[in-house]
Amino acid sequence: MSSRGRAFISGGAGFLGSHLCDRLIAEDFEVLCLDNLLTGTRENIRHLLDHPRFQFVEGDVTVPIDIAGPLRHVLHFGSPASPKDYLRYPIHTLKVGALGTHHTLGLAKAKGAAYLLASSSEVYGDPQVSPQPESYWGHVNPVGVRSVYDEAKRFGEALATAYRNTHRLDVRIARIFNTYGPRMRADDGRAIPTFIEQALRGQPLTVYGDGSQTRSFCFVSDMIEGLFRLLTRPAAPGGTDLAAPVNLGNPEEMSMRALAELITSLTRSGSPIVFEPLPPDDPRVRRPDITRATRLLGWTPGVALTDGLATTIEFFRQRLGAGAR
């Protein structure tokens, strides 16, 4: 039996969720993983399926959850997370942000468990302030093409805050900025897996707009460290130190064009870069202010982009196999 209790995680077969399952198992937790496999995959957790402290349940967090036995932590990571996915499943994305958050908060309340919500830098929309601190309220189009994800995350934060204030639930909110690494899907639609797959296949790298828009990329091991510290940090009396969301991400910023050029260089690809029209409401900048995470958690990301990309490229090279160049 685990010496650190039992954790429930929705979306545990997804990219971040599966890495969190690994970390929780390594830290001597029992883990109950729920996923409907809409965008997650059994392959991400196959190595855990026979572990005595791991249990996988295929299920949908948008319906009420009935879990037998005690829980120490509830983590809500279930949601389509890339524009390609949430534009394909807009209603489900809204439901998992609203109903899924409601059901997991209710589960945490019933079990007396601490709660970790996976929010997103998308709550800032197309920001007019950079870098973005947690105090920034954002610049979001509530009826734009990206609104199903942006508003789902904003509502989730509001609901989690209401549970904390009304029921004194121990709630932590992570605003997760762009994260990359092994277990991302090649057809995910996000920049890094798309560029890597295109480069490995010798296809043109598709950059939107003129490529001057910027992002900040955090390697998955750094992100998991930050999330684990946020999950397990003891709250101060009254919990006021953890009452506000916490940005987690890498503050080193680069343009999409520079990223495409770096990936072609690291893959030794001769692929050209081609430019397509910028999608509606695509953020021009995205960079976290991580002052709060550093102060509260003693956390800063440590993996250099070139090192993280090298690991990620090797993962995709193995996945693509004979199709890679």
Side-chain angles (χ1 to χ4, degrees):
M1 295 295 291
S2 167
S3 63
R4 300 193 69 173
R6 189 171 178 229
F8 168 91
I9 177 168
S10 69
F15 166 51
L16 281 181
S18 64
H19 283 283
L20 263 175
C21 287
D22 286 344
R23 180 61 183 268
L24 289 165
I25 290 292
E27 296 285 349
D28 203 29
F29 284 87
E30 291 183 53
V31 177
L32 174 56
C33 164
L34 179 78
D35 204 299
N36 67 355
L37 304 180
L38 185 68
T39 57
T41 170
R42 286 180 184 269
E43 187 62 31
N44 287 341
I45 54 170
R46 191 172 304 281
H47 61 290
L48 294 175
L49 292 177
D50 293 328
H51 195 285
R53 286 187 281 106
F54 182 81
Q55 180 184 1
F56 172 65
V57 175
E58 185 173 347
D60 193 333
V61 77
T62 66
V63 299
I65 305 165
D66 184 16
I67 303 296
L71 292 172
R72 184 175 179 183
H73 297 281
V74 172
L75 301 81
H76 183 30
F77 278 72
S79 178
S82 74
K84 182 177 179 179
D85 287 338
Y86 58 69
L87 293 177
R88 182 186 302 165
Y89 306 112
I91 295 174
H92 184 79
T93 300
L94 286 163
K95 289 175 68 175
V96 79
L99 297 175
T101 305
H102 182 221
H103 294 150
T104 50
L105 282 165
L107 178 65
K109 178 175 176 287
K111 301 292 185 179
Y115 185 85
L116 176 61
L117 176 66
S119 187
S120 167
S121 61
E122 295 295 333
V123 301
Y124 299 120
D126 186 6
Q128 297 173 312
V129 171
S130 191
Q132 295 85 58
E134 292 89 348
S135 58
Y136 177 54
W137 290 0
H139 178 230
V140 176
N141 179 355
V143 293
V145 293
R146 302 169 69 98
S147 65
V148 295
Y149 188 70
D150 300 358
E151 299 295 3
K153 292 300 185 182
R154 288 161 71 93
F155 177 83
E157 288 194 12
L159 187 58
T161 301
Y163 264 75
R164 183 186 62 237
N165 294 340
T166 303
H167 300 299
R168 300 293 182 259
L169 193 66
D170 183 358
V171 167
R172 291 104 192 271
I173 299 172
R175 287 182 177 163
I176 299 170
F177 282 68
N178 296 73
T179 306
Y180 70 99
R183 298 184 195 163
M184 296 187 88
R185 299 191 340 261
D187 65 347
D188 172 288
R190 285 178 277 196
I192 285 180
T194 299
F195 287 167
I196 290 175
E197 183 183 30
Q198 289 171 334
L200 291 176
R201 293 190 183 279
Q203 299 170 347
L205 274 66
T206 306
V207 172
Y208 294 100
D210 62 4
S212 63
Q213 66 273 30
T214 64
R215 298 292 185 271
S216 305
F217 297 100
C218 186
F219 190 61
V220 63
S221 62
D222 281 334
M223 179 58 64
I224 295 303
E225 179 65 29
L227 289 167
F228 186 77
R229 291 189 187 195
L230 180 58
L231 175 72
T232 57
R233 184 188 187 279
T240 55
D241 57 335
L242 297 173
V246 178
N247 285 341
L248 293 175
N250 193 320
E252 294 186 8
E253 192 175 24
M254 75 183 311
S255 73
M256 290 296 95
R257 180 166 189 159
L259 175 67
E261 291 170 346
L262 177 59
I263 287 175
T264 57
S265 174
L266 292 173
T267 56
R268 297 181 174 87
S269 171
S271 296
I273 295 173
V274 297
F275 297 89
E276 299 286 346
L278 193 68
D281 298 332
D282 193 63
R284 297 286 179 169
V285 295
R286 184 58 55 76
R287 179 187 175 199
D289 180 335
I290 60 168
T291 303
R292 181 168 160 76
T294 301
R295 176 174 56 82
L296 283 178
L297 310 176
W299 176 85
T300 55
V303 178
L305 182 61
T306 52
D307 294 335
L309 284 176
T311 300
T312 309
I313 288 166
E314 182 56 30
F315 169 81
F316 279 105
R317 198 186 298 276
Q318 293 180 13
R319 285 292 177 95
L320 290 171
R325 297 189 176 187

